[in-house]
Amino acid sequence: MSRGGGKGPSLKDKLDGNELDLSLCDLNEVPVRELAALPKATVLDLSCNNLISLPSDFCSLMHLVKLDLSKNRLQQLPLDFGRLVNLQHLDLLNNRLVTLPVSFAQLKNLKWLDLKDNPLDPVLAKVAGDCLDEKQCKQAAVKVLQHMKAIQSEQDRQRQRKLQAEREMEKKREAEQRAKEAQERELRKREKAEEKERRRREYDAQKAAKQEVEKKTKKETVQTRKPASSSRPPQPPRHKHSWSRSVLRILLFLLLCVLCVLATCKLTELQRQPLCVSVNTLYEDVVAALQNHKTLQNMLQQNSQ
């Protein structure tokens, strides 16, 4: 236990049943650890000391039922003061409190409250009243709890509205982001389509140019070949020419055979053979006929003259 003048006796020496009196001990801070070791001390008197504030772990002393913090220099209570849910009697007379923490609304078992001689907020001071007797102090506890619950509800509503606004803002940002992404996708899609159309037009243009060049080249080739083809006489079909040559070859072969037979029958010893006799006779007849034909032509020519 910290004092202005050093270390004092043990807290157990001051414990009387369930009451622990630490008033007028010149305390600058609350010995929370030692108090937590005494759960039987449900009534705690810390009045008339030099306490400026309470440590946050003071709110772990949830076994407290009656607490006297009057005539100190407390400027504020811990934010989680409402954890002292078993507290029924609270004396805060003559401190420097202006407001109470919102968690004060959680002291649902509080039956008695004294806030006199504090520079309270005007609204809170009006709610708390004067607390000049037992009845007024009980009424102060009820009214202050109602007031703090209203403040807590309003803060909860504000917090909910803030969360709702933040959620709506987040949804709006998400919607804007989705719209932006969709717009970017549409832009990329349009650019891709335009690029594809540009390549297609280039391909069509190149293809048309190539066809035009091929057409022009073909036309020039036809014009170049046309005079040469017109100067040559028309030639018969290739298959007809081949057939005529074949017939001519056969006739020449037959003529050659006839001449060979005639030469054999005239110049060799076979001329007395019956076949050669017939051939020679036929030859002589043909020669005679030709001579007669020539004589006839001469006569006709003379007569015509």
Side-chain angles (χ1 to χ4, degrees):
M1 182 172 60
S2 298
R3 292 168 172 263
K7 186 176 181 181
S10 173
L11 294 184
K12 289 184 179 181
D13 298 336
K14 292 180 173 289
L15 183 61
D16 183 9
N18 65 335
E19 296 183 7
L20 181 59
D21 187 0
L22 297 179
S23 62
L24 301 170
C25 291
D26 198 23
L27 295 177
N28 294 317
E29 58 184 33
V30 180
V32 177
R33 184 176 298 180
E34 291 85 346
L35 292 173
L38 298 172
K40 291 183 180 181
T42 58
V43 178
L44 178 61
D45 187 355
L46 291 170
S47 62
C48 302
N49 283 291
N50 298 316
L51 300 176
I52 297 176
S53 63
L54 299 177
S56 59
D57 56 352
F58 180 84
C59 301
S60 64
L61 304 176
M62 299 174 62
H63 58 278
L64 295 177
V65 175
K66 183 177 181 180
L67 177 61
D68 189 351
L69 291 168
S70 61
K71 298 180 181 179
N72 279 282
R73 293 184 294 167
L74 294 174
Q75 299 179 0
Q76 61 183 8
L77 298 178
L79 294 177
D80 54 351
F81 192 80
R83 291 175 59 191
L84 302 175
V85 292
N86 293 313
L87 199 60
Q88 299 180 15
H89 185 107
L90 178 61
D91 193 346
L92 292 170
L93 171 70
N94 194 8
N95 277 280
R96 300 178 182 178
L97 297 173
V98 177
T99 59
L100 298 175
V102 178
S103 65
F104 199 91
Q106 300 173 11
L107 301 176
K108 57 183 179 179
N109 292 315
L110 189 64
K111 301 295 187 297
W112 194 97
L113 176 63
D114 189 356
L115 285 170
K116 289 193 308 294
D117 299 331
N118 281 282
L120 295 175
D121 176 78
V123 177
L124 180 58
K126 183 177 179 180
V127 172
D130 295 330
C131 192
L132 299 176
D133 55 28
E134 188 75 11
K135 182 179 179 180
Q136 289 183 354
C137 290
K138 288 181 178 180
Q139 290 177 349
V142 174
K143 292 180 178 180
V144 169
L145 284 178
Q146 291 176 349
H147 176 68
M148 298 309 298
K149 286 179 180 178
I151 293 177
Q152 185 180 45
S153 298
E154 180 61 25
Q155 288 188 356
D156 290 341
R157 285 192 294 270
Q158 290 179 358
R159 185 163 53 251
Q160 289 297 326
R161 286 194 294 268
K162 183 178 179 181
L163 291 175
Q164 182 66 23
E166 290 177 353
R167 284 194 293 266
E168 291 178 355
M169 185 62 67
E170 183 65 23
K171 289 181 180 179
K172 184 178 180 181
R173 286 195 295 267
E174 291 176 356
E176 291 176 352
Q177 182 65 23
R178 287 194 297 270
K180 183 179 179 181
E181 292 175 355
Q183 186 177 5
E184 291 176 353
R185 286 195 300 269
E186 185 64 24
L187 179 60
R188 289 195 296 269
K189 184 178 179 181
R190 186 165 59 252
E191 290 177 350
K192 186 176 180 181
E194 291 175 354
E195 178 65 18
K196 184 176 180 180
E197 179 64 19
R198 184 185 64 79
R199 292 199 304 269
R200 187 188 66 79
R201 288 197 299 267
E202 289 180 355
Y203 173 78
D204 291 343
Q206 292 176 358
K207 186 176 180 180
K210 184 177 180 182
Q211 290 176 350
E212 185 66 22
V213 171
E214 291 177 353
K215 185 177 179 180
K216 185 176 181 181
T217 303
K218 185 176 180 180
K219 185 176 180 181
E220 292 176 353
T221 303
V222 171
Q223 291 177 353
T224 303
R225 292 179 179 179
K226 190 172 181 180
S229 60
S230 60
S231 62
R232 290 181 297 180
Q235 296 184 1
R238 189 176 185 87
H239 66 277
K240 186 174 181 181
H241 178 73
S242 299
W243 181 82
S244 300
R245 292 178 64 182
S246 299
V247 172
L248 181 60
R249 287 177 182 177
I250 292 172
L251 292 176
L252 289 175
F253 178 73
L254 291 176
L255 180 60
L256 181 61
C257 291
V258 170
L259 291 176
C260 289
V261 171
L262 184 60
T264 300
C265 291
K266 283 289 188 181
L267 301 176
T268 64
E269 297 177 351
L270 296 177
Q271 58 185 346
R272 289 186 173 80
Q273 296 294 327
L275 178 61
C276 286
V277 172
S278 300
V279 170
N280 291 331
T281 302
L282 179 60
Y283 172 74
E284 291 174 356
D285 292 340
V286 169
V287 170
L290 291 173
Q291 290 177 353
N292 290 333
H293 180 68
K294 188 175 181 180
T295 303
L296 182 59
Q297 284 182 345
N298 294 331
M299 290 176 64
L300 290 173
Q301 289 178 357
Q302 291 176 1
N303 290 331
S304 60
Q305 291 176 357

